[in-house]
């Protein structure tokens, strides 16, 4: 695309090419090695304005496992991690009050050791921290780690060709994850409709 400005200087943060404001729209904040906490740096006024304009019904946050190999499991580390997540979630709660928020927890991740491959213990710890955090913040949580564990963990997923040892999903693994997430979302929506007397989300 070639885009020319004819109205003088104005700040440009990006181009919105998604089309009509309905259905599923995906924006990937994909910078390798980045923790994702840059989401806190988005201008609050613009975030509020755009969430209203786009009528965002559900905002889903999913983060990778880049911090897992370096994550300590002490109380100081816990508070550091939760400060980051709280900063992100609180910002979106405040600026997107009409939107529901869903945090997808980290999956499983392994490493090679002298006695063979094994899962990082910090995966389970981080998952427990985030479950506790989302319950307190009243934010929906998809327990991706437990999905891994129910089907054998990262070692079994690797054996079945669903993921590599470092936690990255294969195309087959991505489909497995997507199907499970879709089922959970539809089940939660059905429960919502029953509780609210068959009210339809806009």
């Amino acid at each position: 695309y070639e885009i020319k400005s004819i109205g003088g200087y104005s700040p440009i943060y990006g181009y919105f090419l998604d089309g009509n404001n309905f259905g599923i729209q995906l924006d990937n904040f994909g910078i390798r090695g980045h923790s994702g906490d840059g989401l806190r740096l988005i201008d609050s006024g613009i975030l509020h304005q755009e969430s209203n304009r786009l009528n965002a019904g559900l905002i889903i946050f999913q983060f990778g496992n880049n911090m897992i190999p370096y994550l300590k499991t002490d109380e100081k580390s816990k508070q550091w991690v939760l400060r980051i997540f709280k900063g992100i979630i609180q910002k979106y709660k405040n600026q997107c009050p009409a939107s529901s928020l869903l945090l997808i927890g980290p999956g499983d991740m392994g490493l090679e050791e002298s006695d063979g491959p094994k899962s990082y213990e910090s995966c389970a710890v981080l998952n427990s921290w985030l479950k506790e955090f989302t319950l307190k913040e009243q934010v929906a949580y998809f327990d991706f780690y437990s999905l891994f564990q129910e089907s054998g963990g990262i070692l079994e997923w690797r054996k079945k060709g669903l993921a590599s040892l470092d936690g990255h999903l294969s195309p087959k693994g991505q489909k497995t994850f997507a199907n499970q997430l879709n089922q959970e979302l539809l089940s939660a929506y059905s429960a919502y409709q029953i509780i609210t007397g068959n009210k339809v989300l806009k």
Side-chain angles (χ1 to χ4, degrees), residues 21 44-57 59 92 94-99:
N21 298 336
S44 294
I46 291 175
L47 178 59
H48 183 77
Q49 176 183 320
E50 288 301 296
S51 68
N52 285 336
R53 186 175 70 83
L54 299 175
N55 189 30
I59 300 175
Y92 281 76
N94 293 336
Q95 303 307 327
C96 312
S99 303

Side-chain angles (χ1 to χ4, degrees), residues 57-77:
L58 175 65
I59 300 175
I60 302 175
F61 300 91
Q62 182 178 16
F63 299 88
N65 281 346
N66 287 332
M67 69 167 65
I68 286 295
Y70 316 101
L71 183 64
K72 296 179 182 178
T73 56
D74 57 4
E75 185 62 25
K76 183 178 179 181
S77 298

